[in-house]
Amino acid sequence: MTHIIRVLILFLCLGWSVLAQRNPKPFVIPELTEWQGAEGEFSPSGRIVLSGSSKELRAVAEELANDYRQMFGRQLRIVRGSARAGDFVLSLKPDYALGLEGYHLSITEVTRLTAATAQGLFWGTRTVLQLSEQHERQALPQGQTTDTPRYAMRGLLLDVARKYIPMDYLHRLVKVMAYYKMNTLQVHLNDNGFKDYFGGDWAQTSSAFRLESEVFPNLAIKGASYSKQEFIDFQERAMRQFVEIIPEIDVPAHSLAFSRIIPEIGSKEYGMDHLDLFNPKTYEFVDALFHEYLSGDKPVFRGRRVNIGTDEYSNAKEEVRERFRYFTDRYIKYVQSFGKQACLWGALTHAYGKTPVASQDVVMMCWYNGYADPTEMKKQGYQIVSIPDGWTYIVPGAGYYYDYLDTERLHKFWTPAQIGNQRFEEQDSSLLGGMFAVWNDHYGNGITVKDIHHRLMPALQMIALKTWTAHSTTIPYADYERQRPLLSEAPGVNELARLAAEPAEVYSQASLNPRSELPYEEIGYNYTVSWDMELADELIGTELFRSAHAVFYLTSPQNGQLGFLRDGYLDTFDYTLPKTGKVQIAIQGTNKGTALYINGKLRQRFDIQTVYVPQQEGERLNTLYQAPDPFSPTVYRTGKKMHYHRTLVFPLRRAGEFNSNITNLKVYNYLLHK
């Protein structure tokens, strides 16, 4: 008996030893919904083996090969035939359990990725890439997962109307979204500022529509809008990465861009940002605008969904509420007549009344329960997207809602089942999914696309996690935050301009020659860039460095002072270079501001500047310089304020044409001066 007990103890010890060696669940975003670890690792051979001959399978393999080369500098060969150790094997097989977006990943000596659809297979390749980038040899931990999302829609709304977002950034953003299995980007194409920031005058208030119109040629802002072909190409490229673009034309409120070109359709009672619901010309205009983008065999709006807006209109009178409900119903059906699914903002609790509004196969974005009670909207038959303002709204630099989302709170408490103070059952049949929003409410506040991205990135990763795994999320928040920086933004994307994982001097150059190029485009927050100068007389407008996104001036074009330009905002320090002598200069940048050090001492720090109603003409805020979008707030009413940001992602790509002798250039990815 004693011998038997000893054997059992030995067996148990060996068993636990084997289990202890099994690979734990690896870190990816979003978290894998399940994992069975094995022992050992997979070492890639450099081949992708196709188990099938479909075009879809080949397209996913080519995308994986291109991304792998971009990330790791190694070209994977795509082949047919038998698999051998080190191969990636991709296959498409019918499997009801995987749904449209799930995949099965088995990692042994061979990595086998299987899905029922190309989309599921593509998501699996994102997992493979995230695992690969966490190992210096791109080895993968052996084990297997069947990974399926809890919610079908996982997305982001981006307000491009009140802050022009260049198309090249939108392409990079889609790559980032796809890398984290986010499948929906809603593009808010029109909106306007608040008249309070423009002297209370709608005629002076900023507004924009960002898409070319041939029917209304004066509608889109020249130089700060997208051509039809650009927008078509953008949607089609996004489709190939399985990200759906939902274009939004927001009517009948938020519509100053429309009443600006046709004043008679603006409401005289509720403000020119409201369209007049009782004017037949309003319907002629809105019909023509939607028709331009939805009609024909190859419409400008290529995806299956279109958002018609319909939020935040006055509900002061019964006749207005009923007319608003009529308007909403009309444009739901108008969009549906072109074979598209209509999406809208929830407003039907606010606009209560008797006029019926279509709900069959209609997507409602529930953002505030006072405007649309989610439980009631479910009863009426709407498909609901959870985008609650108190959880998921970013308004950069505004001082209300979130500047950065509270990702810890989201991690602990939020899933798409939480809409405001209402909690649904997880994966309720009415819940399509969840999104977050970036609203650029304040024109002219100095916030750049770089600043938006800095806010967007942690939010995107968290919403990706909580819409994919929802209540099944197991990774502790502290572990998530510790490991999150290990991942790239996306293959070939470094919008945050991170130059190293650990604090370091990331670049140095003994002498900087005019017109020379550096190996980096820019460096992002937090950084220090320093250099020594033996001074010579410089022309006004002399550049030190330029990138695709910013310019740093030795002598700014406005006043000859040291300064910088980004996104059309020009900020200058209270410092002019001497004509002769020597000086040591350092610039430090964070997501809050920019600091200038002269000979090791702080000369000036640009923190966030709160600006109020000016007392004199010369006190007005007007920092725009050669901006693509001409509007900037220059007049404020008493009690109103704006938080103006003076940040800089430091440009490094090309040196300018300067006369001074510049030496000892150093670039640090941390703040050298505290």
Side-chain angles (χ1 to χ4, degrees), residues 504-512 518 523 527-533 544-545 552 554 562 583-589 595-601 650-652 661-673:
E505 178 187 302
V506 293
Y507 184 76
S508 65
Q509 190 167 312
S511 180
L512 182 69
L518 272 62
I523 185 167
Y527 67 81
T528 306
V529 178
S530 66
W531 63 93
D532 296 332
M533 295 185 69
L544 175 63
F545 281 118
F552 190 89
L554 293 175
L562 215 64
V583 66
Q584 195 268 341
I585 297 174
I587 302 295
Q588 289 196 162
L596 168 66
Y597 289 81
I598 300 297
N599 297 326
K601 295 183 179 180
F650 198 91
L652 290 171
N661 184 31
I662 296 179
T663 58
N664 199 29
L665 173 68
K666 293 185 179 295
V667 179
Y668 306 86
N669 66 347
Y670 63 92
L671 302 178
L672 191 63
H673 301 281

Side-chain angles (χ1 to χ4, degrees), residues 171-464:
H171 281 288
R172 292 192 293 273
L173 175 59
V174 165
K175 289 206 72 172
V176 173
M177 294 181 67
Y179 198 55
Y180 293 98
K181 306 184 181 78
M182 294 280 273
N183 63 9
T184 307
L185 174 60
Q186 182 164 310
V187 183
H188 185 74
L189 287 167
N190 68 280
D191 215 315
N192 46 264
F194 308 133
K195 69 174 182 176
D196 291 354
Y197 290 89
F198 297 85
D201 184 357
W202 284 119
Q204 301 300 319
T205 300
S206 56
S207 67
F209 180 71
R210 300 297 185 186
L211 183 58
E212 174 194 9
S213 172
E214 294 170 280
V215 177
F216 304 103
N218 296 325
L219 182 54
I221 295 178
K222 299 295 188 291
S225 57
Y226 316 122
S227 72
K228 286 183 176 180
Q229 191 59 54
E230 277 182 316
F231 203 72
I232 289 169
D233 294 344
F234 167 57
Q235 294 168 92
E236 292 183 343
R237 174 60 184 142
M239 287 177 188
R240 292 195 291 273
Q241 297 171 86
F242 302 97
V243 176
E244 178 186 4
I245 305 302
I246 301 179
E248 180 189 350
I249 297 177
D250 199 357
V251 285
H254 305 280
S255 299
L256 183 62
F258 305 142
S259 65
R260 173 158 280 145
I261 65 164
I262 308 177
E264 57 265 40
I265 68 174
S267 173
K268 308 305 183 288
E269 184 172 4
Y270 299 114
M272 294 295 284
D273 65 332
H274 283 48
L275 299 183
D276 184 349
L277 299 179
F278 297 92
N279 187 340
K281 290 187 177 180
T282 294
Y283 298 89
E284 292 175 12
F285 170 82
V286 178
D287 283 359
L289 193 63
F290 277 110
H291 184 272
E292 179 175 6
Y293 303 121
L294 291 170
S295 61
D297 295 334
K298 295 182 178 180
V300 175
F301 291 167
R302 294 295 170 91
R304 56 179 173 150
R305 297 186 177 109
V306 174
N307 193 297
I308 62 172
T310 68
D311 70 323
E312 296 190 297
Y313 201 92
S314 173
N315 72 341
K317 297 178 181 179
E318 180 181 1
E319 62 176 350
V320 173
R321 295 193 301 270
E322 298 295 350
R323 195 67 175 173
F324 176 86
R325 294 176 68 88
Y326 163 79
F327 181 98
T328 302
D329 181 70
R330 175 191 175 104
Y331 287 104
I332 288 172
K333 293 173 179 175
Y334 192 67
V335 166
Q336 290 175 335
S337 72
F338 293 96
K340 305 292 187 181
Q341 186 178 37
C343 306
L344 71 161
W345 290 100
L348 296 181
T349 300
H350 179 73
Y352 59 94
K354 298 177 182 178
T355 302
V357 180
S359 61
Q360 182 65 34
D361 196 32
V362 177
V363 175
M364 177 175 285
M365 302 177 71
C366 286
W367 68 280
Y368 177 59
N369 296 2
Y371 269 85
D373 179 86
T375 301
E376 179 59 31
M377 297 305 107
K378 174 185 174 180
K379 290 178 182 177
Q380 293 184 23
Y382 291 98
Q383 296 180 31
I384 294 173
V385 175
S386 174
I387 184 170
D389 59 347
W391 293 84
T392 65
Y393 269 25
I394 295 173
V395 186
Y400 55 83
Y401 284 127
Y402 287 107
D403 194 29
Y404 289 78
L405 287 191
D406 186 343
T407 55
E408 184 170 10
R409 178 177 178 237
L410 288 164
H411 181 273
K412 289 181 178 179
F413 303 116
W414 186 80
T415 75
Q418 185 75 50
I419 308 177
N421 59 3
Q422 292 190 25
R423 184 82 187 183
F424 285 64
E425 291 294 324
E426 289 293 348
Q427 296 171 270
D428 184 291
S429 60
S430 67
L431 289 176
L432 191 58
M435 298 175 69
F436 76 105
V438 178
W439 296 106
N440 296 303
D441 286 10
H442 288 182
Y443 275 90
N445 67 350
I447 290 286
T448 66
V449 174
K450 291 289 184 182
D451 293 322
I452 291 169
H453 188 80
H454 197 266
R455 288 155 172 78
L456 180 154
M457 195 66 210
L460 187 150
Q461 290 170 314
M462 180 53 68
I463 298 297

